[in-house]
Amino acid sequence: MSMNLEDRLNENPELKKQFDELDVYIDEKASQQGSLINVMHRAQEIFGYLPDDVLYYVAKRLNVPRSTVYGVVTFYHFFSRVPKGRHTVSVCLGTACYVRGGSTVYDRVMKTLGIKAGETSQDRRFTLDLVRCVGACGLAPVVVIDKDTYGRMTPDKVVTLLNKYA
Amino acid sequence: METRMLNVKINGRDYQVPDGTTILRAAREYAKIDVPTLCYLEGISEEGACAICVVEIKGARNLQRACLTKVSEGMEVWTNTSRVREARKLNVELLLANHPKDCLTCERSQNCDLRELASELGVREVEFPRTRTEWLPVDNTSLSLVRDPNKCVLCRRCVNVCAKVQSVYAIDIMGRGSNSTVSTFLDEGLGNVECVNCGQCLLVCPTGAITERSEIPDVWKALGDPDKVVVVETAPAVRVAIGEEFGMPDGTQATGKMAAALRSLGFDEVFDTDFSADLTIMEEGFELIGRIKNGGVLPLITSCSPGWVKFAETFFPKVLDHVSTCKSPQQMFGTVTKTYWAEKMGIDPRKIVVVSVMPCTAKKFEKERPEMKTAFHYWQEKLGLKDEEAFKDVDCVLTTREAAKMIREAGIDFASLPDEDFDKPLGESTGAGVIFGATGGVMEAALRTAYEVMTKKSLAKLDFEDVRGLEGIKSADIDIDGTILKVAVANGLGNARVLMEQVQKGESPYHFIEIMCCPGGCLGGGGQPISDNPDIKKKRAEAIYREDAGKPIRKSHENPEIKKIYKDFLGEPNSEKAHHLLHTEYCDRSCE
């Protein structure tokens, strides 16, 4: 897989651009110990997820065993090995949100999008996540879409909200 | 600076132990009290993953792990309170909740640390229901090893030995919490990653989660086939370890009984890999002399150990020209048996089944390498064979453990067998061949021959003490009649890596390097009996050097059958024919 990465980069200028961008960041960080998580973070920002090629590449560039890279990717919930949707919907089911009806909100989102937590809709519009507390308990129940937090959600309100995201 | 001694009380008695000592060591070494452990492996795996070793400390609210907690002045430790016993029992019960309880038929039924622990702690029932809803897939991708994650207790011993001792990092803990498993990069399986098949993980696994890929059924089948001529070869390190499987004392030289047992199993010829070890010395010794004389690539590095060879191919592909082109003794043996011996005996090589008994799991991988079909190519034209009729030089590889299992299955009382000899001609060997089984042995054997060939003088003293012993890296300057030969010996791939980094940078000061994949060399191989004796390698090494000292001939070039094979068949060492049959090539595996 990694063997022909170079060939594929030459054929795909878009992909090449993404790897170049990652390279800039790695050059900055490579000398620092423990830079693996930062690099993976940046890689996910660039690629939207962590494809296998990127895992090979990061291991090689940082001179870290591949098994270590994979261990880190599979440990942290944040890292994803499958492409994410254009928008990430995180429904909070922490204690406060749960007791104020978070699960009815979650059920409605699942029904509307036709996906479960961790999955991405077929049209790649949404990825659904379940989270346990985002630190906005006063606004419970809370839904976070991308970087925006929405409080006092109800099943009906959340559907209207989702419609605003293309 | 002198270490401060601390006063501690363990189970009510007073002890003085050095500052920095863990409670576990204080209990075991000073108080002679055993604290049970599961994940602990001194110097290698000390992470406190299993929490079996918990003890009660006066004044501490919670139980503490004895393997991680260091003693402090005035500490009062209790290792045997009911609270401690209950906690240990509970922790084992939790480990057993998801464990497949197929102990009756498990490979490790006789020597499973988990089963033993459950028994010792008096676990009689497991209150906890299984939480995993499905069985995890077994990793069958490797030619050498099989991993069953269902039996894994996540102790991390295998992960630590692979990383810290071997510096291979093929496996790690993947996932998190109750979904954690020991796995490889992208869960591709051991056969598809940098795993070198050494089996050190198997040796340290406390359960049956890692086992060898068994070839016992294939060997029984061959032995039961009247049309086959089944030949067995035994590696040097097997004879000093196989006795352990039958309750004989550690370090027993069981050479004669092993030969007798294999004959009783029905092998048509009981030969010795030591013969081809002698042959290796001739080829490798002359390769070394040639490279020194002709300004060839130096240091020359030995190539007997297939785990090491795959390690070099994976991590140091740019300097493979340093690795001797000699095949390993196992593979030389297979080739010679199916060419020289077959011709001599007038046996159709297709009828010959070569079985080798090895202290090694990587040998199972080695025999499957596509280039290891030299005898077939030798015969192809002569017999008009088609490509699809290709046969391997070595057909089956049994580990020491598998050979012992077959002997047990056959109902042979190993310990009371009479001592028997190997068959001729491929059972004839020297002390030089025997010491291949210990780290430093190939070096010493090569030096015995290289010295005498280069100087045409006879060595006054055959023992090269500087290259003996279990130290990770040894080096010596050998005076060969005024010429200084700088040599180094590494065992364990972490140590090999140190020497190889020098080679890669062009900074290696040596002429000749011996590398063995496993700690201690083959005697500590991944195919050897699983032992709980911390001095087991020393015991086996002593037996190997005793075996060498007792041999009438101790130099490879003086083996009469070696002289004969060169005279009758191969010509000279490193001749074109020898090159064709006994040498090989390597490939870059850095992208695998």
Side-chain angles (χ1 to χ4, degrees):
Chain A
M1 177 170 264
S2 66
M3 269 186 288
N4 52 16
L5 178 61
E6 214 165 305
D7 294 345
R8 275 180 293 134
L9 289 184
N10 288 333
E11 282 167 20
N12 185 342
E14 192 59 36
L15 194 64
K16 172 113 178 47
K17 220 178 111 195
Q18 290 176 314
F19 271 92
D20 286 345
E21 202 180 336
L22 181 60
D23 259 340
V24 173
Y25 189 76
I26 291 176
D27 288 338
E28 235 173 78
K29 295 276 173 184
S31 58
Q32 295 173 16
Q33 264 231 312
S35 59
L36 175 60
I37 290 179
N38 289 333
V39 170
M40 303 289 268
H41 215 284
R42 185 79 188 98
Q44 185 156 303
E45 262 174 34
I46 295 168
F47 294 88
Y49 71 112
L50 294 170
D52 295 348
D53 273 346
V54 170
L55 305 187
Y56 272 107
Y57 188 75
V58 168
K60 200 158 200 167
R61 282 290 325 264
L62 295 182
N63 201 17
V64 170
R66 293 185 297 178
S67 58
T68 307
V69 172
Y70 191 58
V72 167
V73 169
T74 54
F75 183 86
Y76 290 104
H77 185 79
F78 173 80
F79 293 127
S80 173
R81 288 182 57 220
V82 289
K84 291 232 174 186
R86 290 193 294 282
H87 308 289
T88 301
V89 184
S90 305
V91 181
C92 182
L93 282 186
T95 312
C97 290
Y98 185 82
V99 298
R100 302 204 54 172
S103 60
T104 62
V105 174
Y106 174 59
D107 287 345
R108 181 65 74 84
V109 176
M110 278 205 297
K111 213 174 141 197
T112 311
L113 302 180
I115 50 172
K116 294 197 293 280
E119 293 178 348
T120 298
S121 61
Q122 274 202 330
D123 58 4
R124 287 273 176 87
R125 197 166 141 220
F126 290 108
T127 295
L128 179 55
D129 264 341
L130 260 188
V131 294
R132 310 273 166 186
C133 196
V134 295
C137 306
L139 301 174
V142 171
V143 169
V144 182
I145 303 184
D146 298 338
K147 283 174 179 167
D148 298 317
T149 306
Y150 301 93
R152 309 215 191 286
M153 272 295 126
T154 64
D156 289 341
K157 273 208 254 175
V158 82
V159 174
T160 319
L161 188 60
L162 289 173
N163 286 335
K164 290 185 188 161
Y165 288 84
Chain B
M1 204 177 71
E2 213 172 294
T3 316
R4 197 159 68 102
M5 297 301 278
L6 303 177
N7 296 298
V8 289
K9 224 186 235 306
I10 303 178
N11 295 354
R13 287 200 169 86
D14 292 315
Y15 301 95
Q16 284 210 317
V17 304
D19 196 0
T21 308
T22 60
I23 294 174
L24 182 66
R25 269 195 59 204
R28 283 183 177 174
E29 283 174 34
Y30 293 86
K32 306 290 172 202
I33 293 167
D34 190 34
V35 172
T37 52
L38 182 64
C39 69
Y40 182 79
L41 206 59
E42 195 179 329
I44 296 166
S45 188
E46 303 180 346
E47 299 186 26
C50 73
I52 300 298
C53 67
V54 288
V55 293
E56 202 166 342
I57 298 169
K58 194 177 170 188
R61 197 158 57 105
N62 296 322
L63 298 179
Q64 301 294 319
R65 284 157 215 236
C67 69
L68 292 179
T69 316
K70 299 212 162 104
V71 293
S72 57
E73 177 58 34
M75 188 183 258
E76 252 185 67
V77 179
W78 297 88
T79 70
N80 188 25
T81 62
S82 65
R83 192 176 162 211
V84 165
R85 284 196 306 274
E86 285 308 313
R88 287 177 186 162
K89 216 165 148 176
L90 186 78
N91 288 339
V92 171
E93 282 182 48
L94 285 166
L95 287 176
L96 291 175
N98 276 321
H99 195 80
K101 292 165 204 73
D102 58 354
C103 302
L104 277 178
T105 50
C106 178
E107 178 85 28
R108 292 287 298 274
S109 62
Q110 295 306 303
N111 54 357
C112 170
D113 292 355
L114 183 63
R115 191 191 54 73
E116 224 167 87
L117 200 57
S119 159
E120 270 173 26
L121 297 177
V123 177
R124 285 286 163 262
E125 58 185 334
V126 178
E127 279 180 47
F128 305 102
R130 205 178 142 76
T131 56
R132 275 193 197 136
T133 50
E134 280 168 17
W135 295 106
L136 300 166
V138 172
D139 177 4
N140 267 315
T141 57
S142 164
L143 293 166
S144 298
L145 301 162
V146 179
R147 276 199 63 100
D148 183 351
N150 298 294
K151 292 183 180 173
C152 173
V153 292
L154 298 174
C155 71
R156 297 166 188 250
R157 283 181 173 192
C158 57
V159 171
N160 282 316
V161 97
C162 189
K164 293 187 194 166
V165 177
Q166 298 296 58
S167 77
V168 172
Y169 293 88
I171 46 175
D172 205 338
I173 301 273
M174 306 305 174
R176 182 177 32 168
S178 58
N179 292 323
S180 305
T181 53
V182 172
S183 185
T184 63
F185 181 63
L186 305 181
D187 303 309
E188 282 179 327
L190 290 174
N192 299 318
V193 295
E194 51 275 76
C195 170
V196 301
N197 308 303
C198 71
Q200 288 299 311
C201 55
L202 184 161
L203 288 185
V204 299
C205 180
T207 73
I210 314 172
T211 50
E212 70 259 274
R213 172 178 290 285
S214 176
E215 294 180 47
I216 291 176
D218 305 327
V219 178
W220 279 132
K221 198 174 153 213
L223 287 171
D225 186 340
D227 290 335
K228 298 286 185 197
V229 178
V230 192
V231 168
V232 67
E233 53 159 324
T234 60
V238 175
R239 64 207 65 194
V240 296
I242 195 167
E244 295 162 31
E245 289 277 344
F246 301 98
M248 298 169 88
D250 292 343
T252 298
Q253 292 165 258
T255 316
K257 295 190 193 316
M258 178 183 71
L262 293 171
R263 202 163 279 128
S264 302
L265 282 180
F267 285 104
D268 296 301
E269 302 288 337
V270 180
F271 287 148
D272 198 353
T273 317
D274 291 16
F275 167 82
S276 48
D278 282 334
L279 193 57
T280 303
I281 287 304
M282 298 304 287
E283 291 299 316
E284 203 163 87
F286 278 82
E287 187 182 1
L288 174 68
I289 295 166
R291 287 197 190 199
I292 291 173
K293 279 189 181 156
N294 307 325
V297 174
L298 291 172
L300 176 70
I301 309 172
T302 60
S303 56
C304 307
S305 165
W308 143 244
V309 167
K310 186 165 185 247
F311 181 83
E313 291 177 323
T314 306
F315 297 103
F316 297 95
K318 293 195 186 94
V319 287
L320 287 173
D321 53 349
H322 287 266
V323 182
S324 164
T325 56
C326 288
K327 283 183 186 173
S328 73
Q330 161 173 291
Q331 295 305 134
M332 283 199 190
F333 182 91
T335 309
V336 163
T337 303
K338 291 188 179 181
T339 56
Y340 169 67
W341 186 72
E343 216 164 79
K344 199 178 162 94
M345 304 297 289
I347 301 172
D348 184 336
R350 286 170 292 184
K351 285 190 171 179
I352 301 175
V353 177
V354 173
V355 177
S356 61
V357 182
M358 293 283 140
C360 181
T361 45
K363 291 279 174 198
K364 288 175 184 277
F365 169 86
E366 182 186 39
K367 78 157 192 322
E368 300 291 341
R369 293 177 66 117
E371 63 274 22
M372 295 298 176
K373 290 184 180 124
T374 320
F376 164 71
H377 294 300
Y378 178 84
W379 289 106
Q380 189 168 19
E381 221 170 282
K382 290 184 197 182
L383 298 179
L385 302 177
K386 295 193 205 82
D387 283 345
E388 54 268 30
E389 289 177 275
F391 52 83
K392 291 177 271 188
D393 291 337
V394 174
D395 298 278
C396 302
V397 173
L398 299 171
T399 61
T400 308
R401 294 184 298 269
E402 285 176 280
K405 252 178 238 149
M406 288 184 70
I407 292 166
R408 274 195 295 270
E409 276 180 44
I412 296 166
D413 181 2
F414 186 89
S416 57
L417 285 172
D419 286 350
E420 290 181 6
D421 284 331
F422 290 105
D423 292 312
K424 300 237 183 279
L426 306 184
E428 186 70 43
S429 73
T430 70
V434 172
I435 57 176
F436 264 58
T439 164
V442 178
M443 175 61 69
E444 182 167 345
L447 291 174
R448 289 178 191 175
T449 289
Y451 182 94
E452 299 205 346
V453 170
M454 285 171 85
T455 64
K456 303 200 166 50
K457 289 180 192 167
S458 154
L459 262 174
K461 183 169 176 279
L462 287 183
D463 299 346
F464 289 83
E465 308 281 358
D466 288 347
V467 295
R468 293 188 181 184
L470 296 174
E471 228 176 297
I473 298 176
K474 293 160 282 188
S475 61
D477 290 352
I478 308 292
D479 185 349
I480 299 194
D481 224 12
T483 310
I484 298 294
L485 191 69
K486 291 180 96 62
V487 302
V489 174
N491 65 97
L493 294 174
N495 297 315
R497 189 180 278 278
V498 175
L499 295 183
M500 286 311 287
E501 265 155 18
Q502 290 178 343
V503 171
Q504 185 139 286
K505 283 186 206 146
E507 292 169 0
S508 179
Y510 305 110
H511 298 104
F512 189 34
I513 297 177
E514 177 205 293
I515 293 180
M516 289 296 158
C517 169
C518 290
C522 305
L523 55 85
Q528 292 283 57
I530 294 168
S531 174
D532 51 13
N533 179 356
D535 289 328
I536 191 66
K537 291 189 192 111
K538 200 166 152 256
K539 290 279 183 194
R540 291 174 186 163
E542 285 165 3
I544 280 193
Y545 287 109
R546 275 201 308 276
E547 186 97 355
D548 166 37
K551 281 273 194 180
I553 305 172
R554 297 179 62 201
K555 292 173 266 186
S556 299
H557 56 287
E558 291 180 356
N559 180 337
E561 290 298 340
I562 291 288
K563 288 181 184 169
K564 200 154 185 279
I565 193 175
Y566 279 108
K567 189 167 149 280
D568 296 352
F569 186 68
L570 292 168
E572 297 288 307
N574 291 356
S575 67
E576 204 189 319
K577 192 170 187 183
H579 251 282
H580 184 64
L581 295 175
L582 306 180
H583 291 250
T584 187
E585 54 198 29
Y586 308 108
C587 58
D588 180 346
R589 294 182 192 269
S590 60
C591 289
E592 274 184 20

